[in-house]
Amino acid sequence: MLPILLLLLSPASAWIPVHDWESGNVTASVGESGQCVCHVYLPEITFPADRVEHMQQVSHDLILEVDIQMNKMISYVGTLEGYLKELSDLTVRVSMLESSADKYIKLDFELLRIELREFEVLVSQLKDSLNSTSPMFDSLYIEIRNMTLIVNQLETFDKSNLEVIRLEFAKLQKKLEECQTDHDVIKPDIGNCNRTGIMSIGKPMVVQLNAHLNAGYQYGGWGKDSKPVRGYESMYFYGAYTSYYIYDFYLYSNYENLILRSALKHHDLPSGWEGTGNNYIVHSNTIYYQHNTPFSMSKLNLTTAKYDYRVIPSASASFSYSYSPHQNMDFSADENGLWVMYATEASKGKIVIAKIDEKSFGIENEWSTTAYKQLAGNAFMACGVMYATRSVDLTTEEIFYAYDTRTNEEKHLSIHFSKFQEKYTNLHYNPTDQKLYMYNNGYYVSYNVRFDK
């Protein structure tokens, strides 16, 4: 330490008491001549500027961290306020259901349950992200669960009224379909084949998930009777399973009951009459499908429940469409009657078109094409012309080939149309409304068909 002389005072003018004292690095004493002397001791090292700079940086970082945490809290509060508002809206809707029996439909309950589940997930995610155990979250959980219980209880109160409202909802679905028809400006010339062929396919009309409400039922089909008998002009059919086997079919008296999943009849195929593949249709109140053993085409009369089958000796079980196995026989109906398509060993996997005699349930004529069955996604008949499809990409299908049985001429086409999902197992044309019906990975999908006149 280096002593520094700060002040010299004579005894007469000194205000400091005349004795030695020390305080920290400052000392005071009386010199040899009787004067007062003050000393200040300073460290020998230089001023620590680097430490000050470090402290300034630390202070700056702390300020930034505080700002970040404040913003998180503001965001947290804002998000929580948003959740509370959404929960308040749900509470109002549940109160409406409690107050009046005529203000709800089946869809309300389903949507409420879905929203409540999603809301609970969001609250859990927020809680985890903030690592918080606030009583606010516990309160939210309790309210969500209480509301779920109320929704479940309310749904059981008035089933009769609920069915009436659900029917109104089905009518709205029908109007949606009609709106799509109007949008596509389709004016079908039903029963007339005075045209050169298909010009384009309309946009997909995704009706809904299958009657099992299970996307796992990927293998199946749906549609209308292509030659309805009197009194069943509006009948629809549906059948599906988790694999390519066929065990049963459901019949619906009209479109509304299809939407409501209210089946008119349910046909279980008995042991020995099960089917494979999924390219079946309903024609003249009879379901035509591919039989298991023996490998053959089979039919079930929906009125008499009578079964019958016919073996086609040349048809092979070795060639299927590209989207799923065992689609060896593909049934189709158009303005000219009933058809079945298959491949043979002699054709080396190329599609053969066969016209079915409905009375004898036999084959009355055959046409050989150059379209390889295993490269096609599916095929259908319209006005005596076979159209084969294939995949372009995940969401696009293409009609790439046509064979006219009237002229024995074939064409290579490129008519694109959209798919709801990549794969489908049933595609057929219905001459009563000139639509394509597709069973697309568990969903009912339909298309309007435009013909070139």
Side-chain angles (χ1 to χ4, degrees):
M1 304 287 283
L2 299 176
I4 298 178
L5 181 63
L6 291 182
L7 183 64
L8 296 176
L9 297 174
S10 63
S13 61
W15 51 273
I16 300 176
V18 184
H19 59 270
D20 291 344
W21 61 275
E22 290 189 9
S23 177
N25 291 330
V26 180
T27 62
S29 61
V30 178
E32 295 178 356
S33 304
Q35 74 274 24
C36 290
V37 179
C38 291
H39 300 270
V40 176
Y41 295 86
L42 297 178
E44 295 180 351
I45 61 175
T46 58
F47 184 74
D50 56 337
R51 295 185 183 178
V52 174
E53 184 179 358
H54 174 70
M55 291 302 297
Q56 288 176 337
Q57 184 62 45
V58 170
S59 176
H60 177 71
D61 293 343
L62 287 174
I63 291 173
L64 289 178
E65 183 65 24
V66 169
D67 287 340
I68 291 172
Q69 295 301 324
M70 286 296 293
N71 289 334
K72 281 186 177 180
M73 289 304 299
I74 292 172
S75 175
Y76 158 72
V77 172
T79 304
L80 198 55
E81 288 177 351
Y83 285 179
L84 289 172
K85 184 179 184 306
E86 290 182 21
L87 189 57
S88 175
D89 293 341
L90 289 176
T91 304
V92 171
R93 289 166 60 189
V94 172
S95 298
M96 287 180 61
L97 298 183
E98 289 180 295
S99 64
S100 177
D102 61 358
K103 291 183 180 179
Y104 63 83
I105 61 174
K106 177 72 173 177
L107 186 61
D108 282 329
F109 293 114
E110 293 178 356
L111 289 177
L112 275 170
R113 272 194 289 267
I114 291 171
E115 290 179 41
L116 285 168
R117 286 196 296 268
E118 292 177 347
F119 193 85
E120 186 172 5
V121 171
L122 288 172
V123 173
S124 297
Q125 291 175 347
L126 180 62
K127 180 180 178 181
D128 292 340
S129 65
L130 294 172
N131 194 23
S132 173
T133 57
S134 170
M136 178 67 73
F137 291 112
D138 296 332
S139 176
L140 284 173
Y141 284 131
I142 293 172
E143 188 163 358
I144 290 169
R145 286 162 188 166
N146 287 341
M147 288 176 65
T148 302
L149 289 174
I150 292 173
V151 170
N152 292 337
Q153 292 169 356
L154 285 172
E155 191 175 9
T156 64
F157 286 164
D158 190 357
K159 288 294 183 181
S160 59
N161 182 65
L162 186 60
E163 291 302 319
V164 173
I165 303 303
R166 288 175 64 197
L167 185 59
E168 295 301 317
F169 173 67
K171 291 179 180 179
L172 290 177
Q173 286 272 28
K174 180 66 174 178
K175 288 182 180 180
L176 177 63
E177 184 186 43
E178 293 171 353
C179 177
Q180 193 257 354
T181 300
D182 294 339
H183 177 72
D184 286 341
V185 197
I186 300 296
K187 295 181 179 180
D189 188 10
I190 304 298
N192 192 344
C193 284
N194 295 327
R195 45 189 179 244
T196 58
I198 293 177
M199 180 176 66
S200 64
I201 304 297
K203 296 179 180 178
M205 174 70 180
V206 182
V207 178
Q208 66 177 29
L209 186 62
N210 59 63
H212 289 96
L213 297 179
N214 189 337
Y217 281 70
Q218 299 180 13
Y219 301 89
W222 81 291
K224 293 181 65 178
D225 192 324
S226 53
K227 188 183 177 182
V229 299
R230 186 183 297 274
Y232 292 90
E233 292 85 356
S234 301
M235 187 178 71
Y236 283 77
F237 71 90
Y238 157 71
Y241 195 58
T242 55
S243 67
Y244 47 78
Y245 292 103
I246 304 170
Y247 292 107
D248 58 359
F249 296 98
Y250 295 84
L251 303 178
Y252 304 88
S253 58
N254 52 44
Y255 182 83
E256 286 77 12
N257 284 327
L258 172 77
I259 298 299
L260 295 172
R261 304 185 294 278
S262 178
L264 172 68
K265 290 183 180 180
H266 176 212
H267 287 276
D268 276 312
L269 301 182
S271 178
W273 286 102
E274 299 91 342
T276 54
N278 309 104
N279 283 289
Y280 41 79
I281 62 168
V282 175
H283 183 74
S284 192
N285 204 43
T286 300
I287 289 180
Y288 291 86
Y289 65 99
Q290 178 181 310
H291 191 36
N292 278 341
T293 307
F295 175 68
S296 58
M297 59 181 186
S298 182
K299 67 177 182 178
L300 164 65
N301 187 291
L302 299 174
T303 302
T304 64
K306 180 182 177 181
Y307 292 87
D308 198 2
Y309 73 93
R310 290 290 185 276
V311 174
I312 304 177
S314 62
S316 173
S318 301
F319 305 100
S320 179
Y321 289 133
S322 62
Y323 290 134
S324 66
H326 298 282
Q327 295 193 85
N328 310 114
M329 291 186 183
D330 183 4
F331 294 91
S332 188
D334 65 0
E335 293 81 356
N336 296 341
L338 183 64
W339 310 80
V340 63
M341 292 164 283
Y342 47 82
T344 67
E345 298 295 336
S347 72
K348 298 181 180 179
K350 296 176 184 177
I351 297 176
V352 173
I353 307 167
K355 183 73 183 299
I356 298 175
D357 185 315
E358 295 181 44
K359 291 183 179 180
S360 67
F361 195 31
I363 302 300
E364 64 180 55
N365 206 348
E366 285 186 337
W367 293 262
S368 297
T369 75
T370 60
Y372 283 97
K373 194 170 192 294
Q374 291 175 309
L375 297 180
N378 220 289
F380 61 91
M381 299 294 298
C383 282
V385 179
M386 185 201 79
Y387 296 91
T389 70
R390 64 185 176 190
S391 177
V392 176
D393 54 43
L394 296 180
T395 59
T396 308
E397 194 78 358
E398 176 190 49
I399 297 176
F400 72 96
Y401 178 87
Y403 186 94
D404 193 333
T405 60
R406 298 166 299 181
T407 63
N408 294 325
E409 294 178 345
E410 62 180 1
K411 293 181 181 179
H412 294 278
L413 309 173
S414 182
I415 301 174
H416 288 194
F417 59 98
S418 299
K419 294 182 291 188
F420 178 58
Q421 295 191 35
E422 179 186 6
K423 296 181 179 180
Y424 59 91
T425 54
N426 189 308
L427 181 70
H428 64 272
Y429 168 77
N430 193 302
T432 67
D433 54 13
Q434 292 186 356
K435 288 186 176 183
L436 285 179
Y437 288 86
M438 174 190 286
Y439 190 72
N440 193 183
N441 244 14
Y443 288 84
Y444 304 153
V445 182
S446 65
Y447 300 84
N448 289 317
V449 179
R450 293 186 179 92
F451 289 93
D452 187 355
K453 298 181 181 181

